[in-house]
Amino acid sequence: MTTRRPFVGGNWKMNLTREGAVALARALAGDDPASEALEVALFPAFVHLDAVGATLALARSGLALGAQDCYPEPDGAFTGEVSIPMLGDLSVSAVLVGHSERRHIIGEPDDLVARKCRAVLDAGLTCVLCVGETLDERQAGLTDAVNERQARSALQGADLDDPSRLVVAYEPVWAIGTGRTATPEDAQEAHARLRAVLSDLYDADTAESVRIIYGGSVKPGNAAELFSRPGVDGGLIGGASLDARGFLDICAAARGARAAHGATTP
Ligand code: PGA
């Protein structure tokens, strides 16, 4: 039986006003979906972290506060960037690293993603490492090769003394924000391959302990089916995380899938 605690992240991207972010955090904390059975993290914009963190603290919520990015150096002349110690000051406990919008829109290369990944893990925070292929790469049959390259380059040599602090998010780029979703079979297969890469980089026990989650147009209507697949340990939710009711339904689907796995997985 899997002992992995499912993980659901709400990636708010460059959305919401400060007031809207606080209202959403308050609505989610009021019906707190985080528990022993499910880890849930919210990823507001940098400028809303402080207000969202204060809202979660006031509500004594179990929801974790996450950042959408970071810079790997602790301080210095890096105009516009935000360091991990700065995030720590705001009680951030998780960081998205290598999201496809940063790789493909902003132009972040693998080696910068790797430095960020190591810096987040070394700081003792949870690293949500995003990997995934573009449509062209998928059509060229390169899905596994791209996922493997991105995972290996980010994690090679990275210390993973606590595997629960690494979450790998498989996010096919063509499925993000498009309404197109990988089939549950495709997700299951990609996750199994990624777990094999982790096993090779570390060892089988470590690979079994790392959560691998799916992202790309997850909605209340498709979450249960995706999360019910063996090896799919939750999701990273973009558009659908901006609606409190929908996000809570997705969290409920992740809890339900874990209960079902627990009942059936030997
Ligand atoms: P989406 O985004 O749910 O809007 O497709 C997912 C993500 O970018 O993490």
Side-chain angles (χ1 to χ4, degrees):
M1 181 176 130
T2 177
T3 53
R4 294 186 297 271
R5 182 183 179 209
F7 182 102
V8 173
N11 177 8
W12 296 355
K13 307 192 179 184
M14 199 176 72
N15 289 302
L16 301 168
T17 59
R18 181 182 169 92
E19 197 184 336
V22 167
L24 181 53
R26 195 175 289 136
L28 295 173
D31 197 352
D32 206 331
S35 69
E36 277 298 296
L38 179 67
E39 185 171 352
V40 184
L42 306 179
F43 297 86
F46 282 138
V47 291
H48 299 150
L49 281 169
D50 211 356
V52 168
T55 304
L56 298 180
L58 196 66
R60 296 181 188 281
S61 169
L63 290 160
L65 186 64
Q68 296 174 18
D69 189 26
C70 67
Y71 197 70
E73 296 300 325
D75 50 42
F78 303 103
T79 302
E81 295 298 320
V82 177
S83 74
I84 296 168
M86 289 172 181
L87 296 173
D89 264 357
L90 299 178
S91 302
V92 164
S93 62
V95 184
L96 298 184
V97 171
H99 189 278
S100 72
E101 284 146 18
R102 297 216 55 86
R103 292 181 192 265
H104 298 291
I105 300 176
I106 314 293
E108 249 176 52
D110 282 352
D111 59 337
L112 180 56
V113 172
R115 286 171 58 209
K116 292 181 179 190
C117 183
R118 270 156 242 207
V120 170
L121 289 171
D122 287 349
L125 273 57
T126 296
C127 175
V128 180
L129 171 67
C130 305
V131 301
E133 82 285 3
T134 63
L135 187 56
D136 283 354
E137 289 164 340
R138 183 173 195 84
Q139 285 168 344
L142 295 172
T143 297
D144 293 333
V146 170
N147 284 341
E148 177 161 357
R149 188 200 80 229
Q150 292 182 344
R152 277 191 191 278
S153 84
L155 292 167
Q156 200 86 55
D159 266 348
L160 201 54
D161 41 354
D162 178 0
S164 72
R165 284 199 294 99
L166 174 66
V167 176
V168 178
Y170 168 55
E171 300 205 292
V173 180
W174 48 271
I176 295 181
T178 59
R180 297 179 60 191
T181 320
T183 65
E185 293 75 20
D186 285 342
Q188 181 177 343
E189 194 182 319
H191 286 216
R193 301 240 179 193
L194 279 164
R195 209 174 294 286
V197 171
L198 292 171
S199 181
D200 189 50
L201 278 168
Y202 298 99
D203 55 63
D205 283 351
T206 304
E208 276 306 305
S209 305
V210 172
R211 273 84 54 87
I212 305 182
I213 63 176
Y214 171 79
S217 297
V218 178
K219 307 271 181 261
N222 60 20
E225 204 191 344
L226 284 159
F227 299 165
S228 69
R229 291 289 162 153
V232 179
D233 303 317
L236 185 57
I237 321 301
S241 71
L242 297 172
D243 171 63
R245 189 65 263 157
F247 186 68
L248 290 167
D249 287 348
I250 290 170
C251 290
R255 279 194 304 272
R258 172 171 149 134
H261 283 311
T264 56
T265 312

